[in-house]
Amino acid sequence: MDTNEVGVAFEILLEEIEQVIDIAEKESKELLKRDTYDDARALIEWQIRVTDFRGKVRQLQAEWNRLARSEQPRRETERRQSRRLPKGLRTPEDAFRRPILEALVELKGRAPMQDVLQRVQEKMKGILNEYDYESLPSDSKTVRWRNTAQWCRNTLVTEGLMRADSARGIWEISDKGRAALDRGEV
């Protein structure tokens, strides 16, 4: 059984939380510079709660790592492996980079995730294959290509090509992403 995806998910979650903490820290410093102490204090207190939450996520990550290293019942392992798609059959995550950024530019730089994914699907019509349109074994409601596109979005955020501070459910290209797209680096 491949437990690495859960480990990757923990890493992505921790990176996102870290970015939220960094943004809150910058905003609280700005509030202090403007002498808006009550707002700064409230934001700092919120930042402390988020930092505590990050600690809990790290504890869960450590617990998961212990579980992943432990012996698993063979029967469950065999069952899960038989449902897993062999490598190389689905469209790779990197193939989604340019279509996501192009879709965002076409949508005026930011849009709800569903709108972006609809545009990406249109752009990748000749690329996506039958395996991409299958449901995930772990979640029958999620189509594989959409899941891959969402993982790609996380990678683009980590690389600074998409904004990390957009509202929940909103995808937004960064200035760095626009420049990389214009230069053909994506």
Side-chain angles (χ1 to χ4, degrees):
M1 176 175 162
D2 183 11
T3 57
N4 190 40
E5 287 187 24
V6 175
V8 170
F10 271 114
E11 289 300 321
I12 290 170
L13 176 59
L14 287 168
E15 287 175 13
E16 293 290 325
I17 293 170
E18 197 65 45
Q19 289 176 355
V20 167
I21 292 170
D22 289 345
I23 291 167
E25 184 178 346
K26 289 174 187 170
E27 288 179 5
S28 62
K29 286 179 182 177
E30 284 299 315
L31 290 170
L32 288 171
K33 285 180 186 175
R34 290 184 290 186
D35 296 333
T36 50
Y37 298 112
D38 290 339
D39 291 341
R41 183 181 4 256
L43 187 54
I44 291 168
E45 289 171 3
W46 181 81
Q47 182 183 354
I48 290 168
R49 291 194 307 271
V50 173
T51 302
D52 290 343
F53 177 75
R54 177 186 60 192
K56 292 174 185 176
V57 171
R58 285 181 177 157
Q59 289 174 345
L60 285 172
Q61 180 184 36
E63 184 178 345
W64 172 255
N65 289 337
R66 285 190 299 275
L67 281 171
R69 286 190 304 266
S70 68
E71 187 71 27
Q72 297 173 28
R74 186 163 176 77
R75 194 179 206 185
E76 177 67 13
T77 300
E78 289 171 357
R79 186 170 59 103
R80 287 189 184 226
Q81 284 177 344
S82 68
R83 294 178 6 194
R84 189 166 183 84
L85 185 68
K87 289 191 183 285
L89 295 181
R90 71 170 173 85
T91 302
E93 182 181 313
D94 280 352
F96 290 84
R97 295 169 63 85
R98 185 169 197 78
I100 289 173
L101 295 177
E102 286 176 346
L104 284 168
V105 168
E106 291 168 8
L107 293 165
K108 311 238 186 306
R110 68 187 313 256
M113 176 186 72
Q114 296 303 332
D115 294 353
V116 177
L117 290 179
Q118 182 178 354
R119 218 33 93 107
V120 168
Q121 183 179 15
E122 293 166 11
K123 290 179 163 301
M124 297 186 72
K125 196 175 253 181
I127 298 170
L128 297 175
N129 62 48
E130 62 184 284
Y131 301 105
D132 294 316
Y133 287 101
E134 291 177 354
S135 297
L136 292 173
S138 58
D139 180 4
S140 62
K141 296 177 185 170
T142 302
V143 178
R144 181 173 278 115
W145 78 263
R146 287 178 168 263
N147 183 61
T148 305
Q150 290 172 3
W151 279 106
C152 182
R153 180 255 179 204
N154 284 323
T155 301
L156 293 169
V157 167
T158 300
E159 293 173 1
L161 300 176
M162 286 180 64
R163 294 188 52 141
D165 58 349
S166 299
R168 181 169 171 78
I170 301 295
W171 289 12
E172 186 172 359
I173 193 169
S174 67
D175 292 337
K176 182 178 176 182
R178 284 181 190 273
L181 190 61
D182 289 342
R183 290 191 303 265
E185 294 173 355
V186 188

